[in-house]
Amino acid sequence: MEFNKSVREDPWYLRVPLILFSVLFIGIMVIGPMVNVFAQGLELGLGVAFAAMAHPHALHALQLTLTAAVIAIVLNVTFGIAVAWAIARFRFRGKAVLTSLIDLPFSVSPVIAGLIFVLLFGAYGFIGPLELSPVAQRIGNTIILGFVGLVLAWLNSEFNLLSFAFRPRWARLILVLGFAGLGCIQPVTDLDRIQIVFAVPGVVLATAFVTFPFVARELIPVMEAIGPEEEEAARTLGASGWQMFWYVTLPNMKWGLLYGVLLCNARAIGEFGAVNVVSGKLAGRTDTLPIYIEKLYQGFGAVQTASAFAISSLLCCLALLTLVFKTYLEWKNRQYLLEQVKKGAS
Amino acid sequence: MSILVKDVVKRFGNHLALNQVSLEVPSGALVALLGPSGSGKTTLLRIIAGLETADEGSVHLHEEDAGDLDVRDRNIGFVFQHYALFRHMNVADNIGFALKMRGRPKKEISDRVNELLRLIQLDDVGSRLPSQLSGGQRQRVALARALAARPRVLLLDEPFGALDAKVRKELRDWLRRLHSEIHVTSVFVTHDQEEALELADRIVVMSQGRIEQVGTPDEVYHHPANAFVMKFLGQVNLFHGRVEDGEVVLGANDKDAVVGYVRPHQFDITRHPIGKPSWPARVVYVNAAGVQVRIELRLTDDDRSLEVIVSQDAFRELALKTGEAVFVRPKEMKVFRDDVADYAI
Amino acid sequence: MAGQKRRALPGFGLSLGYSLFYLSVLVLIPLAGCFIKASNLSWEQFWHAVSDPVAVAAYQLSFSTSIIAALLNSFTGLIVAWVLVRYDFPGKKLLDALIDLPLALPTAVAGITFANLYGSEGWFGQHLMFLDPDGFVGHWFSEDGWFGSTLFTLDTRARGGPLAIVVVLMFVGIPFVIRSVQPVLAEFEIAQEEAAVSLGASRWQTFRYVILPALLPAWLTGLALAYARGLGEYGSVIFVADGIPGKTLIPPVLIIAKLEEFDHARGAFKYEEAAAIASVVLTMSFITLVLINLLERWSKKFEPSEA
């Protein structure tokens, strides 16, 4: 960036103190605490730090954290792509409302995010643990499989998958009734009790809730900036819906998508409040890394504290890695959009 | 008939973008949709392509009702205003896209791509990315991409809109040669009358969602159907007058007021009055740089400015100077009213 | 003609349908459940639950610490954004990248490191003992100190008290103001500043009347975002605050306490009361969200409309 020196250059007695202030502020507020994590983690030596990380409970917590993060990412990427496609490519009533509803989970305190799932699926919740009588199981299966059939019928009508054998109307009827009938006659899922709260599904739900907006928020502006022309071009050249998505839409939004996934991942791994409420904190079963850190920190003794910081150092490294990737992706994304601008201008 | 558009109506909210538009495009024609922005020309093109759906009316492509046909099944080639090249694919992949979507074998695709690269005279850029090409090159690649699957109809949205003047002229000539070689039915949208006059063999002039006139370049220029076409195609001088005994007399009058239109080159400038009408005027400005000489006159009677174009020869004969008094006489005047004949000498 | 894209591209029904389905199942229905659960209480019970002195003190604490932290951040954020955009100095890129650390760092990690730093043996805390009630500054503000006895008392401890909450909320809110203001400042046209100078404005006048008004919408948006984040923050606060009911207890902690509290008279956990307090906090957050939306719409008005 180039500045016109004569107008924009501030005198040194303004510049130097402002720079010093900024460096000092970030130093005390961000760098100090970060360095402290590593220092405390290594206070009792590397041996203690590695022992803390290798503890079976720590490893299990790591595994659960990653599982929850991966599932939350998959769910939110699917949603993000769908909602970005609808919002950035079509006009419909209520678009503004939908756009602001995406941000809703950001404004909800994590503890409340956990609470709402306890209220729904807890022992005294609306739905409670999903305990299903044989009849309810059948009804549930009918509905679930019927929905699967509906989704397939939808896919079929969008992309003419069965056009070689059936007319669209018949295909729709066969798919919905066929799948629903299958669910009614022979329950496919045989779970009669699904524990959600104080179990892994609750951890996943809470994580998906708090990371809900990340992917969508990144994708919508990227897709709006790219515009629909390339997709329209693909259609005029004979591409089907999936072909268009696969060859044009997805490659075009990949940097924005990765950026969203990165933010989603960072938040999912670090989530504490929501998981704290729904997980029940069962050691070695429903502990995620942040919960495990809390337990260690609340425990007695220097070893416990050092262990908490050792595992924190791990998460801190992850956070720094996230920042590196984030800076790279921002640069990449900017290049990509700049190209678009250049293209439009010439 | 290659394209048949019948009574098409398209609304965007309250805005009527196309109002009962009907159009026939014969096979092999090169048609221009010409009009100012907001005239509905791009909407019409997109409806023919299937990128928009008409609220009313029908579109037939090669005698087949295209109403139920999806964009991808219409077998049209569409060239977008900003080309819409796939930015992550190289030129060859861009051009081969349509054939790949149709599941053609690799060999056939690469042969066709090479053939098209030769056609657009860009043999050696196949492995480059669109961002590494100049504007004119991108335009040609976009055209090759649209032609790859041998479409029955080629549609171009402001094909030269984003290019600078010199490249624009070159590409225009190149496109005309190309069309005479491959003879695919083509429709292009433009707001540039010069481009339409030079390139098309038929021009469709549009305004406010309606078609004003359809004709050859010669017809629309020399025999405009109405005042809009006259004004939109080329420069024109306006005279406000009234009708007396089926003739136009200058000078505004509320009753029977008419407007006469005279193109700048349809004037005689003389030192002395000859015949009727012949109006006294004063030379305000002369620009003799160029093929012809542009003269600005001010009428003595009603203080109105006139733009007159004369040949260099005529100008030298007259030896006009700024501030001199002259007489000006229209050779041909258009009046768009049924009861008044055009004035011509 | 721009903007009308309907039907040319496939998948509208599928994408919108799925989006609404997922949004409802994961977000809307569970959130509605919270309000419905709270409505199980009679009006008196509800009022009793939400206006309990401990609960009111918790809202006040959350509200005041969030707003103070956000205000402090808005000033430091403006300076840091200015420095990052306008000046060059070694390590600038690193500093710029580290601004986002509070977003990437798990809040629990932030909590324990701040608790440790400002603890009596921590790097910072050991030098801040004078803030304790028996330290010389802390004493002024305690009940028998000259300030505390004449005006009001203040818990100035570096760890455990409201001041500690403000510090940690400042940490989590750092990126918001900076990241809101930075792009606007970076894209601010030099021509506008040159115009101001050519019209006789001083450097300060240029800043005050030309630059600052252009930054205002983004600045306020950043402030509101930081405030909203502080309002909901839990993970880091519980480690630095000592959680004394009525003094240093934030609403989320109260909600968790209610969830675990068994009502022997009814033979059930106090889910409804937890839901009642949660719905008050939720309402506060929703108001903030609407405010942020309005601010963002307002700031869009100032963007050049060439796109």
Side-chain angles (χ1 to χ4, degrees):
Chain A
M1 207 157 291
E2 288 213 5
F3 297 129
N4 185 326
K5 291 264 160 49
S6 59
V7 180
R8 275 199 172 159
E9 197 176 75
D10 292 326
W12 67 267
Y13 53 81
L14 200 61
R15 204 169 62 230
V16 173
L18 286 182
I19 292 175
L20 280 180
F21 174 84
S22 299
V23 172
L24 216 63
F25 177 70
I26 299 300
I28 290 176
M29 289 302 291
V30 180
I31 300 172
M34 184 183 77
V35 174
N36 189 50
V37 172
F38 293 108
Q40 298 299 324
L42 295 172
E43 184 150 86
L44 299 183
L46 270 175
V48 173
F50 281 124
M53 292 180 206
H55 193 277
H57 284 177
L59 291 177
H60 187 273
L62 176 67
Q63 189 201 336
L64 177 59
T65 304
L66 293 180
T67 311
V70 167
I71 299 177
I73 288 170
V74 169
L75 288 174
N76 288 331
V77 162
T78 318
F79 165 74
I81 291 174
V83 82
W85 180 253
I87 285 178
R89 291 291 178 266
F90 300 95
R91 277 185 178 180
F92 53 93
R93 237 187 294 171
K95 187 157 136 175
V97 178
L98 179 61
T99 312
S100 35
L101 279 181
I102 294 172
D103 282 342
L104 201 59
F106 271 155
S107 72
V108 173
S109 171
V111 167
I112 296 176
L115 170 79
I116 58 179
F117 291 109
V118 173
L119 293 180
L120 274 185
F121 299 112
Y124 302 92
F126 284 106
I127 302 174
L130 298 178
E131 284 189 57
L132 305 171
S133 69
V135 176
Q137 244 189 90
R138 248 156 229 257
I139 295 174
N141 268 290
T142 309
I143 294 172
I144 292 171
L145 284 188
F147 184 74
V148 171
L150 203 68
V151 170
L152 287 176
W154 220 334
L155 288 173
N156 177 50
S157 62
E158 285 289 330
F159 305 110
N160 292 321
L161 301 171
L162 294 176
S163 55
F164 61 91
F166 300 109
R167 287 167 169 278
R169 197 180 308 164
W170 288 113
R172 197 180 310 155
L173 209 66
I174 291 168
L175 282 169
V176 175
L177 289 184
F179 271 85
L182 195 72
C184 188
I185 298 160
Q186 180 60 53
V188 185
T189 66
D190 55 8
L191 289 165
D192 54 350
R193 185 190 158 95
I194 307 168
Q195 179 77 30
I196 291 178
V197 166
F198 307 145
V200 175
V203 175
V204 171
L205 270 179
T207 308
F209 181 95
V210 296
T211 56
F212 180 86
F214 283 102
V215 180
R217 254 180 94 102
E218 293 310 320
L219 280 188
I220 291 170
V222 168
M223 285 188 65
E224 275 174 351
I226 289 171
E229 287 80 16
E230 284 177 52
E231 280 134 4
E232 288 179 347
R235 294 287 286 163
T236 64
L237 295 168
S240 71
W242 284 123
Q243 283 175 322
M244 176 206 69
F245 177 74
W246 190 252
Y247 290 113
V248 180
T249 311
L250 205 56
N252 269 346
M253 68 177 168
K254 67 180 171 215
W255 296 117
L257 188 65
L258 274 176
Y259 190 76
V261 167
L262 187 76
L263 296 185
C264 185
N265 180 55
R267 179 71 201 264
I269 285 177
E271 181 46 37
F272 179 73
V275 174
N276 189 27
V277 178
V278 293
S279 75
K281 306 194 201 179
L282 307 172
R285 283 174 54 201
T286 60
D287 271 356
T288 61
L289 276 183
I291 303 277
Y292 185 62
I293 289 171
E294 186 219 359
K295 281 184 173 173
L296 285 175
Y297 186 78
Q298 306 291 15
F300 291 104
V303 178
Q304 293 267 40
T305 309
S307 301
F309 277 103
I311 295 169
S312 294
S313 315
L314 198 70
L315 290 180
C316 200
C317 286
L318 213 63
L320 289 173
L321 211 63
T322 303
L323 292 190
V324 172
F325 267 119
K326 185 170 170 292
T327 313
Y328 172 74
L329 286 178
E330 275 167 2
W331 175 78
K332 202 79 194 167
N333 209 355
R334 206 160 33 228
Q335 298 294 94
Y336 209 66
L337 291 179
L338 268 183
E339 237 164 57
Q340 172 70 6
V341 172
K342 260 196 334 221
K343 215 156 120 186
S346 58
Chain B
M1 210 50 65
S2 198
I3 304 171
L4 182 67
V5 176
K6 226 174 154 199
D7 299 328
V8 162
V9 175
K10 177 72 180 176
R11 288 181 198 85
F12 293 129
N14 290 328
H15 174 64
L16 190 59
L18 289 178
N19 184 6
Q20 296 271 338
V21 167
S22 298
L23 179 67
E24 292 177 4
V25 177
S27 292
L30 179 54
V31 174
L33 299 181
L34 175 66
S37 65
S39 59
K41 55 193 193 304
T42 295
T43 308
L44 180 58
L45 194 77
R46 288 172 65 90
I47 285 175
I48 295 171
L51 289 169
E52 308 276 356
T53 41
D55 295 332
E56 292 168 34
S58 63
V59 175
H60 290 252
L61 295 172
H62 294 95
E63 323 293 334
E64 185 189 0
D65 188 350
D68 294 331
L69 279 183
D70 198 50
V71 203
R72 59 185 294 232
D73 301 322
R74 292 197 180 193
N75 199 12
I76 46 121
F78 198 101
V79 178
F80 289 79
Q81 188 175 4
H82 297 292
Y83 326 128
L85 293 177
F86 306 126
R87 67 192 86 174
H88 58 279
M89 295 182 199
N90 65 27
V91 168
D93 288 343
N94 260 289
I95 297 175
F97 188 82
L99 296 175
K100 188 176 171 187
M101 293 303 106
R102 287 165 172 77
R104 298 284 166 75
K106 281 211 168 86
K107 178 83 176 67
E108 186 193 331
I109 297 178
S110 71
D111 286 351
R112 178 74 176 143
V113 167
N114 288 329
E115 184 190 334
L116 283 161
L117 281 172
R118 268 197 306 281
L119 184 73
I120 60 170
Q121 297 153 6
L122 289 173
D123 303 59
D124 48 350
V125 304
S127 58
R128 286 206 215 152
L129 286 174
S131 57
Q132 295 164 318
L133 301 180
S134 73
Q137 289 174 325
R138 282 179 206 169
Q139 171 62 282
R140 282 186 274 168
V141 171
L143 199 69
R145 183 178 72 173
L147 290 171
R150 303 182 198 281
R152 294 181 299 181
V153 172
L154 181 64
L155 305 171
L156 306 100
D157 185 6
E158 296 273 3
F160 312 113
L163 299 170
D164 59 53
K166 189 163 170 289
V167 180
R168 191 186 275 236
K169 177 89 176 70
E170 282 168 18
L171 267 180
R172 202 192 282 161
D173 298 340
W174 176 79
L175 183 65
R176 196 175 42 206
R177 282 200 303 278
L178 185 77
H179 182 259
S180 63
E181 268 174 51
I182 58 175
H183 259 299
V184 59
T185 309
S186 307
V187 179
F188 70 97
V189 158
T190 181
H191 62 265
D192 181 347
Q193 36 111 356
E194 195 190 327
E195 197 169 287
L197 290 171
E198 207 172 293
L199 196 51
D201 46 40
R202 279 160 78 86
I203 294 180
V204 179
V205 185
M206 295 187 68
S207 157
Q208 298 185 337
R210 290 185 151 280
I211 292 182
E212 300 287 349
Q213 189 177 6
V214 181
T216 62
D218 193 54
E219 278 166 4
V220 293
Y221 189 78
H222 291 295
H223 306 286
N226 55 38
F228 174 81
V229 178
M230 178 103 192
K231 274 194 276 188
F232 194 71
L233 283 144
Q235 297 281 17
V236 71
N237 292 294
L238 273 61
F239 292 95
H240 294 265
R242 58 186 184 277
V243 179
E244 277 173 19
D245 303 329
E247 268 195 30
V248 182
V249 178
L250 273 202
N253 185 345
D254 292 341
K255 224 172 132 198
D256 271 341
V258 292
V259 182
Y261 298 86
V262 185
R263 296 236 187 254
H265 60 270
Q266 287 170 330
F267 284 106
D268 278 332
I269 297 179
T270 52
R271 292 279 183 189
H272 307 286
I274 322 168
K276 229 184 110 185
S278 188
W279 304 310
R282 190 166 292 281
V283 180
V284 177
Y285 171 77
V286 175
N287 179 7
V291 185
Q292 289 169 311
V293 182
R294 211 172 64 78
I295 303 167
E296 195 186 325
L297 299 176
R298 192 170 291 276
L299 289 180
T300 321
D301 292 350
D302 62 352
D303 210 31
R304 207 174 279 279
S305 277
L306 275 189
E307 192 184 332
V308 177
I309 291 174
V310 297
S311 67
Q312 292 280 5
D313 290 345
F315 177 70
R316 231 171 289 127
E317 246 170 63
L318 279 165
L320 285 180
K321 288 201 179 62
T322 312
E324 279 182 320
V326 291
F327 289 88
V328 61
R329 193 176 81 111
K331 287 188 277 195
E332 191 178 331
M333 182 186 284
K334 286 260 174 224
V335 177
F336 297 101
R337 255 178 61 161
D338 295 339
D339 56 332
V340 185
D342 288 343
Y343 174 90
I345 295 166
Chain C
M1 275 149 277
Q4 259 297 336
K5 296 151 195 164
R6 200 158 194 150
R7 294 192 192 287
L9 298 172
F12 175 65
L14 180 66
S15 60
L16 186 65
Y18 177 73
S19 302
L20 291 178
F21 170 74
Y22 183 72
L23 177 75
S24 309
V25 168
L26 191 66
V27 179
L28 298 183
I29 295 172
L31 278 177
C34 179
F35 288 100
I36 293 170
K37 194 78 181 178
S39 71
N40 283 355
L41 295 170
S42 72
W43 177 244
E44 286 79 25
Q45 285 171 314
F46 178 84
W47 185 246
H48 182 258
V50 302
S51 67
D52 177 59
V54 174
V56 171
Y59 309 140
Q60 281 173 346
L61 178 71
S62 180
F63 182 79
S64 56
T65 50
S66 303
I67 201 85
I68 292 171
L71 280 173
L72 288 172
N73 262 335
S74 73
F75 288 105
T76 56
L78 189 64
I79 295 173
V80 174
W82 180 268
V83 166
L84 286 177
V85 172
R86 290 295 173 95
Y87 304 148
D88 258 326
F89 54 95
K92 175 172 141 171
K93 287 244 164 69
L94 186 70
L95 198 70
D96 196 355
L98 279 174
I99 302 290
D100 285 324
L101 189 75
L103 288 181
L105 194 71
T107 51
V109 175
I112 64 169
T113 184
F114 269 86
N116 182 282
L117 266 181
Y118 290 90
S120 53
E121 281 156 30
W123 291 351
F124 298 163
Q126 56 181 308
H127 305 296
L128 297 170
M129 297 301 278
F130 59 87
L131 291 171
D132 280 2
D134 47 357
F136 70 97
V137 173
H139 184 71
W140 297 345
F141 292 96
S142 68
E143 274 170 43
D144 22 275
W146 60 269
F147 192 90
S149 57
T150 49
L151 289 165
F152 55 88
T153 58
L154 196 66
D155 185 353
T156 56
R157 285 173 302 152
R159 200 200 142 185
L163 212 60
I165 300 179
V166 170
V167 171
V168 82
L169 289 186
M170 269 186 84
F171 171 79
V172 297
I174 284 175
F176 295 102
V177 176
I178 300 178
R179 292 301 186 228
S180 300
V181 170
Q182 215 178 355
V184 183
L185 193 60
E187 275 161 33
F188 192 80
E189 291 171 314
I190 188 161
Q192 288 198 34
E193 278 167 75
E194 287 172 339
V197 173
S198 73
L199 294 168
S202 71
R203 189 83 191 107
W204 167 249
Q205 283 172 319
T206 308
F207 178 76
R208 168 71 187 76
Y209 295 106
V210 179
I211 301 176
L212 204 57
L215 296 183
L216 192 65
W219 193 22
L220 287 177
T221 306
L223 182 95
L225 284 171
Y227 166 70
R229 176 68 205 260
L231 217 50
E233 184 54 29
Y234 169 75
S236 53
V237 176
I238 57 155
F239 291 100
V240 297
D242 47 17
I244 297 164
K247 285 208 168 120
T248 51
L249 188 81
I250 54 170
V253 181
L254 191 63
I255 290 170
I256 293 183
K258 291 282 179 202
L259 271 183
E260 289 165 356
E261 203 174 314
F262 196 77
D263 186 347
H264 290 283
R266 283 177 55 232
F269 286 98
K270 294 183 171 173
Y271 278 19
E272 283 85 358
E273 286 189 28
I277 297 168
S279 41
V280 171
V281 178
L282 273 177
T283 310
M284 262 160 77
S285 323
F286 291 162
I287 292 171
T288 320
L289 183 71
V290 170
L291 199 76
I292 293 170
N293 260 310
L294 290 177
L295 274 172
E296 275 172 353
R297 204 165 300 172
W298 181 45
S299 60
K300 278 210 178 103
K301 272 204 310 200
F302 294 87
E303 280 170 19
S305 56
E306 59 198 332

